[in-house]
């Protein structure tokens, strides 16, 4: 599948052991502040996804600056992206501080004194949870033919994320990909697989739009391969490991044809 920056696609990323609890200023028995670090800057990791394609990705420092400044009031702090069958979409707390440190965005969240937070607290204090976040890419740069290198031995396309819109972040139970040396896991497929159980029409509509961006060669390459997470369970359309074929200019023309029209 050709790698594409697909509009309206929410991306989910997770990293291990980046959630802790700070009781330094809390009274005895009071709920602590949860500190979440959720996206290491300038660190390459591989994405291999039905929804997104296969490529290396990194997030540049400054990618969260605008969304923190303009959209902080709308950002939620959830456990497991709101899919936990006991907690659901209940927020864990309000954001006291959200900032970019030199190495990562950081959120500080005083936890509400609720039964569901008290159930999570022992694991948070023990460092047993990782962190995850959901975003939409606003600005990025692609290198479709980077060549082989130490960090990219297969020479697959490389994407640098320059600006995002952040929707939510928080602790998750299974963040790490044991096969990923960078310790970052792309959870977009899992997110849409779970979301489809709630809103199949919306997910299938987005799936159909993504399919329109794929070439016949992409579809032919996927025929007969195994089902991947994120694919609609009532179809037989699978996904394969993907490689890129579009240049950045061709990708731009395909996604935004109106920008290519010359004024009369």
């Amino acid at each position: 599948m050709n790698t594409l920056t697909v509009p309206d696609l929410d991306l989910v990323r997770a990293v291990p052991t980046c959630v802790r609890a700070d009781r330094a200023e809390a009274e005895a028995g009071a709920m602590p502040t949860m500190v979440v670090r959720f996206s290491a800057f300038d660190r390459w990791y591989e994405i291999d996804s039905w929804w997104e394609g296969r490529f290396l990705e990194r997030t540049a420092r400054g990618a969260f600056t605008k969304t923190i400044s303009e959209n902080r009031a709308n950002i939620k702090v959830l456990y497991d992206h709101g899919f936990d069958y006991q907690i659901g979409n209940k927020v864990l707390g309000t954001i006291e501080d959200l900032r970019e440190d030199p190495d990562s965005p950081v959120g500080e969240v005083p936890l509400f004194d609720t039964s569901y937070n008290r159930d999570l607290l022992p694991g948070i204090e023990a460092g047993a949870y990782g962190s995850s976040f959901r975003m939409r890419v606003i600005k990025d740069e692609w290198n479709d033919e980077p060549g082989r290198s130490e960090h990219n031995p297969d020479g697959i396309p490389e994407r640098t994320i320059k600006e995002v819109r952040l929707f939510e972040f928080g602790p998750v139970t299974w963040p790490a990909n044991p096969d990923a040396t960078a310790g970052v896991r792309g959870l977009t497929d899992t997110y849409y697989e779970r979301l489809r159980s709630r809103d199949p029409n919306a997910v299938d509509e987005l799936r159909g739009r993504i399919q329109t961006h794929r070439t016949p060669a992409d579809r032919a390459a996927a025929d007969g391969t195994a089902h991947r997470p994120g694919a609609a369970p009532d179809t037989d359309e699978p996904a394969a490991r993907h490689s890129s074929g579009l240049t950045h200019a061709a990708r731009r023309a395909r996604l935004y044809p109106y920008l290519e029209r010359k004024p009369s």
Side-chain angles (χ1 to χ4, degrees):
M1 184 187 72
N2 292 317
T3 50
L4 297 167
T5 303
V6 182
D8 304 325
L9 182 67
D10 290 357
L11 310 185
V12 179
R13 304 288 185 260
V15 294
T17 320
C18 288
V19 179
R20 64 178 179 85
D22 185 359
R23 285 188 179 270
E25 299 180 0
E27 299 177 0
M31 295 297 287
T33 295
M34 180 177 66
V35 181
V36 184
R37 312 181 75 84
F38 51 91
S39 180
F41 295 136
D42 294 318
R43 186 175 182 180
W44 290 109
Y45 50 87
E46 183 176 334
I47 298 299
D48 190 4
S49 160
W50 185 93
W51 291 90
E52 300 182 66
R54 182 179 179 229
F55 52 91
L56 290 189
E57 181 179 273
R58 65 180 174 181
T59 303
R61 186 180 180 187
F64 293 84
T65 302
K66 187 174 181 179
T67 194
I68 290 172
S69 173
E70 298 180 356
N71 196 47
R72 173 173 161 167
N74 296 317
I75 298 169
K76 303 301 180 185
V77 182
L78 305 174
Y79 170 63
D80 200 20
H81 302 286
F83 285 114
D84 183 77
Y85 73 95
Q86 291 181 322
I87 299 175
N89 275 323
K90 299 182 183 73
V91 296
L92 305 187
T94 55
I95 299 171
E96 182 176 76
D97 185 26
L98 184 59
R99 64 185 186 275
E100 281 197 1
D101 278 359
D103 61 332
S104 170
V106 182
E108 297 188 8
V109 184
L111 295 172
F112 293 147
D113 191 352
T114 63
S115 59
Y116 58 85
N117 272 339
R118 289 192 175 275
D119 287 341
L120 293 175
L121 190 54
I124 292 174
E125 291 187 314
Y129 293 110
S131 64
S132 185
F133 66 102
R134 180 167 58 92
M135 65 177 176
R136 192 166 295 172
V137 175
I138 305 301
K139 295 179 182 178
D140 60 1
E141 291 180 357
W142 287 89
N143 183 354
D144 292 295
E145 298 180 356
R148 299 178 185 271
S149 62
E150 183 176 353
H151 74 269
N152 188 1
D154 292 336
I156 60 178
E158 295 178 353
R159 175 199 218 181
T160 299
I161 295 177
K162 299 285 192 176
E163 182 186 335
V164 308
R165 180 176 296 120
L166 180 65
F167 297 112
E168 47 104 350
F169 65 89
V172 290
T173 305
W174 303 103
N177 181 352
D179 297 325
T181 56
V184 177
R185 187 180 185 188
L187 294 178
T188 303
D189 287 19
T190 302
Y191 174 80
Y192 278 103
E193 183 178 29
R194 299 165 83 179
L195 184 62
R196 193 178 187 279
S197 66
R198 295 181 178 177
D199 194 350
N201 291 334
V203 174
D204 288 348
E205 188 274 335
L206 179 59
R207 178 184 168 87
R209 284 197 284 125
I210 289 177
Q211 280 293 77
T212 65
H213 296 310
R214 296 180 177 171
T215 67
D218 296 331
R219 299 188 184 98
D223 288 344
T225 56
H227 176 77
R228 293 283 301 271
D234 58 353
T235 71
D236 59 1
E237 180 183 353
R241 291 181 69 84
H242 310 303
S243 61
S244 176
L246 288 182
T247 65
H248 178 74
R251 177 185 297 110
R252 180 175 181 270
R254 179 178 288 187
L255 287 174
Y256 311 108
Y258 58 86
L259 294 178
E260 305 301 315
R261 297 171 186 163
K262 298 180 179 180
S264 56

